[in-house]
Amino acid sequence: MNFVVKCYLLDGKFSEQNPDNFAAISHIVNANRRALYELPLPIIIEMLSAMGKKIIKNPHLNKIQGMTYLSLWLRKKNLEQICRINYGNLSYPDSFSKVENRFKLTAQPRGVVCLWVAANIPNLAIISIIQTILSKNGSIVKVPEENKDVLLDFLQELATVEISYDDTNYSAIDIVKAISVVSFEGRNHEISADFSINADCRLIYGGSKAIQSILALPQKDHCETIVYGPKYSFCVFDHAFIESDLFENSLEKTAKDIASFNQMACSSPQVLFFEKSKYQLQHIGERLGGYFANLPEDLRIQPTDPGILANIINIRAKYLLSDDKSVIASDDLSWTILIDNDLRLEEPIHGKCIFLKEVDSVDNVTELITRKIQALSVSILDPEKRENFALEATYCGVDRIVSPGTIHDYDLPWDGILPLSRLVRWTILK
């Protein structure tokens, strides 16, 4: 095999290497994960929390979109809550604990986790790595070339974290040594197969075609596979909410939800459905346009692929030429609002190109819901009506029901999965 892999981190050393095969990388990561395993979970949480505070002081990290949120996500209280929801008991990753006087239970790491990370969200690799750390696994991350510096900057900073706990000193270098960062051409079947066969667990992000290709790769018999596939998100507003004092603030937050990550995330809204109210849809669109125009510059002007810009030009023309559709848009291509009343989920355009539609009832949209829907931002004024709607929507396939301004919050479970509980083996002692 002509092995063409770039390795940017191995054995705690941040230098570019060209390894002969993944077995050599896996061997080092597997040996180093013992030190991570022996760190008590509260110590790991303390060190990650300390890293969250360091992000704000690192000029290379804090300027990246989403990193301020990540620093808050790494709060000790939040990490403890994530572990409690995933494990049920914070002691399970560290020792055997009795379960209802039947037997003792512990959560053992699976071993070496190989991660395929998509390129649409710069800090996606970091969030994924934190999950493998909290489950005490070693990791080999296949990172997109354009995002590797974000991950490496984060891990270099993490390697400097040191804490003192109960008169014992701990260094996060023991965490970083259990991680390797690599890149290679995903279309190279031989290299991809070698990467896959070295995994005790595969964690995959990507589009449908990429996921099907990776799932077909050879794997160990015991290998667990966690898949985060392509997803779709949208918003609904009922008439009582639209006519309430809450609407204006929620509309502003929705504009920011759309703009974040340039509408490329699986949690980015693509369509807004408004129940018929005293306000015309055109009027609501103009108000939303005002919030787009006043976005902070880093959200309003974002690098956009030429193909997306071409699609925006085409869809604007299509709507302008139609008698039953209308367009509200910026003079440049920075944001576009497309208005019609066709009850359907439109193919995403991205680049802050949002579809607005009016419906007789918010209940009409449940017929559009499939298992592909990840997040649904629901603005229904009556709490009981909102919860009943959420119950039906989640039955139909939605994974997350959220409010405006929270659609990108990285909640666990994500995509209907409690990942930490899947990243460990649940073992018993009788």
Side-chain angles (χ1 to χ4, degrees):
M1 181 193 306
N2 183 19
F3 210 79
V4 186
V5 175
K6 294 178 181 177
C7 178
Y8 301 103
L9 168 62
L10 184 62
D11 200 20
K13 299 179 179 65
F14 292 85
S15 59
E16 186 172 332
Q17 305 172 45
N18 297 106
D20 295 332
N21 54 62
F22 281 114
I25 297 174
S26 179
H27 177 76
I28 292 172
V29 170
N30 193 47
N32 289 347
R33 73 182 178 88
R34 167 64 72 173
L36 169 60
Y37 174 68
E38 291 178 352
L39 290 173
L41 184 60
I43 300 300
I44 295 173
I45 290 174
E46 286 283 354
M47 288 198 280
L48 291 175
S49 177
M51 178 59 203
K53 295 171 184 173
K54 296 189 81 170
I55 287 176
I56 300 298
K57 301 174 183 175
N58 185 317
H60 298 296
L61 290 175
N62 65 26
K63 67 181 181 183
I64 299 167
Q65 191 177 137
M67 294 304 278
T68 301
Y69 171 78
L70 182 66
S71 71
L72 296 172
W73 191 77
L74 287 171
R75 296 188 323 275
K76 177 181 176 181
K77 186 176 179 181
N78 185 54
L79 295 177
E80 287 177 341
Q81 185 181 51
I82 286 170
C83 291
R84 195 171 291 111
I85 291 171
N86 277 260
Y87 294 133
N89 184 330
L90 291 182
S91 68
Y92 285 148
D94 290 338
S95 61
F96 279 106
S97 296
K98 188 166 285 187
V99 181
E100 296 180 354
N101 293 322
R102 292 186 59 209
F103 50 73
K104 290 183 175 180
L105 185 67
T106 190
Q108 292 286 7
R110 289 191 175 274
V112 175
V113 181
C114 289
L115 301 92
W116 284 259
V117 181
N120 57 336
I121 307 297
N123 61 8
L124 183 60
I126 297 174
I127 287 176
S128 303
I129 280 289
I130 290 167
Q131 294 173 39
T132 64
I133 293 170
L134 289 172
S135 53
K136 301 189 176 185
N137 285 286
S139 309
I140 308 175
V141 193
K142 177 186 180 300
V143 66
E145 276 286 330
E146 60 267 39
N147 292 343
K148 75 176 191 311
D149 289 342
V150 177
L151 176 60
L152 292 171
D153 283 350
F154 176 88
L155 292 173
Q156 276 190 311
E157 192 72 61
L158 177 61
T160 67
V161 171
E162 294 180 343
I163 66 167
S164 180
Y165 195 90
D166 287 343
D167 297 326
T168 302
N169 295 324
Y170 297 93
S171 170
I173 190 64
D174 287 334
I175 295 175
V176 175
K177 281 186 172 181
I179 299 167
S180 179
V181 177
V182 301
S183 74
F184 57 89
E185 177 56 64
R187 286 175 294 187
N188 187 316
H189 179 79
E190 285 185 286
I191 293 177
S192 296
D194 189 51
F195 188 54
S196 177
I197 202 67
N198 277 283
D200 297 302
C201 179
R202 302 186 299 177
L203 200 161
I204 308 167
Y205 294 87
S208 180
K209 190 174 179 181
I211 286 172
Q212 293 305 319
S213 176
I214 295 167
L215 289 176
L217 295 171
Q219 61 176 12
K220 294 176 181 174
D221 290 340
H222 65 258
C223 182
E224 170 73 306
T225 300
I226 302 171
V227 176
Y228 293 103
K231 290 284 187 174
Y232 192 100
S233 298
F234 65 98
C235 308
V236 297
F237 300 78
D238 82 341
H239 76 281
F241 192 94
I242 295 168
E243 296 175 5
S244 75
D245 294 337
L246 300 173
F247 182 57
E248 207 62 40
N249 181 255
S250 294
L251 201 60
E252 182 178 11
K253 288 179 177 177
T254 299
K256 291 179 179 175
D257 285 342
I258 297 165
S260 295
F261 307 113
N262 210 17
Q263 208 184 2
M264 297 290 287
C266 57
S267 50
S268 296
Q270 305 297 338
V271 182
L272 311 183
F273 291 99
F274 296 91
E275 201 173 61
K276 283 184 178 176
S277 70
K278 66 181 182 182
Y279 298 114
Q280 296 293 315
L281 196 53
Q282 183 74 22
H283 175 67
I284 293 174
E286 289 168 359
R287 289 156 70 181
L288 179 64
Y291 290 120
F292 275 138
N294 289 311
L295 284 170
E297 188 170 344
D298 62 333
L299 286 181
R300 192 173 60 80
I301 308 295
Q302 300 181 64
T304 303
D305 184 89
I308 293 175
L309 296 176
N311 289 337
I312 292 172
I313 292 170
N314 290 336
I315 196 76
R316 282 186 179 188
K318 179 180 175 182
Y319 270 63
L320 285 169
L321 293 172
S322 177
D323 293 335
D324 59 350
K325 304 178 192 295
S326 65
V327 179
I328 302 169
S330 60
D331 292 335
D332 53 16
L333 297 176
S334 61
W335 56 268
T336 305
I337 298 169
L338 304 162
I339 300 175
D340 69 77
N341 289 325
D342 296 337
L343 182 61
R344 66 184 184 191
L345 298 176
E346 306 285 351
E347 283 298 313
I349 304 293
H350 304 300
K352 296 188 291 298
C353 191
I354 189 75
F355 296 87
L356 269 58
K357 299 172 183 290
E358 189 174 72
V359 292
D360 292 331
S361 167
V362 290
D363 292 333
N364 296 148
V365 306
T366 57
E367 67 185 71
L368 304 175
I369 294 172
T370 68
R371 291 291 302 276
K372 191 177 180 181
I373 308 302
Q374 193 230 51
L376 179 49
S377 178
V378 177
S379 298
I380 294 177
L381 192 62
D382 179 70
E384 185 176 350
K385 180 183 175 186
R386 184 175 187 269
E387 187 161 327
N388 288 335
F389 178 87
L391 201 58
E392 179 63 18
T394 51
Y395 171 78
C396 291
V398 177
D399 293 325
R400 302 169 62 233
I401 302 293
V402 301
S403 299
T406 67
I407 202 164
H408 297 298
D409 285 358
Y410 193 72
D411 306 305
L412 295 181
W414 186 259
D415 282 9
I417 298 171
L418 286 170
L420 300 190
S421 69
R422 295 271 300 276
L423 285 165
V424 297
R425 294 178 298 112
W426 292 98
T427 60
I428 64 169
L429 172 65
K430 283 187 174 180

